[in-house]
Amino acid sequence: MTSTLAFAERDIFWPPADELMQAAERIRARLGDWPRAPVPWRICLTAPDAPRAGDLIVVADDNDHPASFAGWLAHGAGVVEAKAGGVSLMLAGQRYAFEGTLAEDWLAALAAFLDCGFEAPDALVLAMAWRDGDDARSDDAWPVDLARFPRLVGLPPVPAEPFASCPARLGLYAVVPSAAWVERVLTLGVQTVQLRMKDAPPAQLAEEIARSVEAGRRHGARVFINDHWREAIAAGAYGVHLGQEDLETLAPAELTAIAASGLRLGLSTHGYYEMLRALHFRPSYLAFGAVFATTTKTLATAPQGLARLARYVRLVEGVVPLVAIGGIDLTTLPGVLATGVGSAAVVRAVTEAQDPQAAVTALHAAFERRPSSG
């Protein structure tokens, strides 16, 4: 075990628990090299006298501390309730609830995944997917069997049928700001395009979407519309792309309307919790990012990197197509494709290129050079 994996002299559990610490170190050593967590997480088996941000206070179902929760949360701590058949996490004004079985080492696994730099909800998802003895079965013990992952509790109903499917590998996926750009990249041979227009008067927006969809028909290409699903339905678009925040505002009847129209649905995800949430809606594809730092939008999470992308690919392979997005250009694309992901979305690599035609040609060439089994 390298020194970067050692928990010695680190405040991982409170009160100190040698057996849990040893199990956490053993698990952590089988997870690979990851940057150390930016947050000094501490798993509290009993409530500390002075709760602080970074504390996760574990409460078993035979304890009754609801009156104390508010005070702990007010100090920035999180509360993990472990009950028969599931776990919930209260943190930063949010509640995350899961159903699933727990390994004996799940708290040690939670510490290990937190140490790999994952946010608490994602680390908890991974800890619940952990099984006793995983660390002894392989040099790479990372959970990649979706059947072992927990189920999210309290999600809204979904349409009776899954959203329409799209190809397993969407290839080069250009995200552009106008119908003129849609037409331009389609002429250059791009087959998957997203129109992303955030601010436009309704009449202009409808016109841009209709123009983009018509261009897609002429070129036999897949045109997704970002956010504006009503206009996408009206124009007969191939699909629509939505963010996690959209899932919070859409009514079940609206989701049913999108599915009934035949639109494909792409959903943004930024980690394991959001992935499980998105899969509940049975979308046509998932987008994962931001893989690298990007200036095209404000990031709620730090760049994910290639190591996380590779794990994500392994988890959803054969379940749903995956699109990598965020800061991808000609320099970084080969590394992205080496993870096995079937599609990579680019923005500035095309729209800010001095020669968009040369840029698209080079990006397509990178896809052609990837191993056929990748």
Side-chain angles (χ1 to χ4, degrees):
M1 188 184 339
T2 64
S3 61
T4 59
L5 303 182
F7 290 163
E9 300 181 1
R10 293 169 59 192
D11 196 12
I12 304 297
F13 294 99
W14 177 260
D18 291 343
E19 186 173 343
L20 273 176
M21 185 74 80
Q22 292 168 4
E25 283 193 323
R26 185 177 65 251
I27 293 169
R28 177 69 180 84
R30 292 300 185 100
L31 300 181
D33 290 327
W34 298 79
R36 183 167 292 177
V39 176
W41 293 107
R42 182 174 66 167
I43 298 175
C44 301
L45 309 177
T46 60
D49 292 335
R52 56 172 172 79
D55 282 350
L56 294 179
I57 304 172
V58 180
V59 178
D61 60 348
D62 58 346
N63 293 319
D64 185 15
H65 299 294
S68 303
F69 288 2
W72 298 340
L73 296 170
H75 284 88
V79 177
V80 178
E81 288 188 275
K83 299 184 177 182
V87 178
S88 67
L89 167 67
M90 288 179 281
L91 181 67
Q94 299 292 322
R95 184 175 185 271
Y96 310 86
F98 308 92
E99 291 179 347
T101 58
L102 294 175
E104 289 185 8
D105 281 349
W106 77 275
L107 281 174
L110 177 59
F113 288 115
L114 288 169
D115 194 65
C116 290
F118 285 86
E119 297 292 331
D122 294 331
L124 183 55
V125 167
L126 289 164
M128 292 188 70
W130 186 260
R131 296 293 180 269
D132 290 320
D134 277 357
D135 54 299
R137 295 191 181 102
S138 170
D139 288 338
D140 183 0
W142 203 271
V144 291
D145 182 356
L146 195 58
R148 288 170 36 170
F149 277 62
R151 297 169 299 281
L152 273 58
V153 177
L155 294 177
V158 297
E161 297 295 329
F163 284 87
S165 63
C166 58
R169 292 179 175 269
L170 290 167
L172 179 62
Y173 188 147
V175 181
V176 297
S178 67
W181 266 109
V182 170
E183 293 169 339
R184 188 173 186 180
V185 297
L186 291 179
T187 301
L188 297 176
V190 178
Q191 287 293 293
T192 308
V193 184
Q194 181 186 136
L195 174 66
R196 181 192 284 172
M197 291 189 71
K198 293 297 184 182
D199 299 303
Q204 179 188 353
L205 179 65
E207 180 181 350
E208 292 275 328
I209 290 175
R211 181 178 162 187
S212 298
V213 171
E214 177 55 33
R217 291 197 186 100
R218 290 198 308 270
H219 290 273
R222 300 173 286 269
V223 175
F224 289 88
I225 306 301
N226 185 277
D227 286 351
H228 304 290
W229 60 271
R230 292 183 178 86
E231 293 82 355
I233 291 176
Y238 180 85
V240 64
H241 182 92
L242 301 177
Q244 289 282 319
E245 65 281 359
D246 297 309
L247 296 177
E248 298 175 0
T249 59
L250 281 174
E254 293 174 319
L255 279 169
T256 298
I258 296 172
S261 74
L263 281 181
R264 283 79 175 172
L265 174 66
L267 292 176
S268 294
T269 64
H270 307 87
Y272 283 95
Y273 174 80
E274 290 189 357
M275 178 270 296
L276 292 182
R277 186 167 180 247
L279 287 176
H280 167 75
F281 295 92
R282 298 180 292 178
S284 309
Y285 76 80
L286 296 182
F288 173 74
V291 179
F292 306 108
T294 176
T295 61
T296 58
K297 63 187 300 185
T298 302
L299 297 180
T301 57
Q304 301 291 318
L306 294 178
R308 295 193 186 198
L309 174 61
R311 307 288 183 172
Y312 214 48
V313 169
R314 290 178 60 191
L315 183 63
V316 302
E317 186 174 14
V319 176
V320 65
L322 189 65
V323 178
I325 189 170
I328 299 172
D329 57 22
L330 186 58
T331 301
T332 58
L333 181 58
V336 170
L337 296 179
T339 67
V341 73
S343 179
V346 296
V347 185
R348 293 181 296 114
V350 171
T351 60
E352 295 184 12
Q354 290 186 345
D355 185 343
Q357 180 173 355
V360 169
T361 298
L363 291 164
H364 271 144
F367 274 89
E368 292 170 0
R369 287 192 298 269
R370 69 183 298 173
S372 59
S373 60

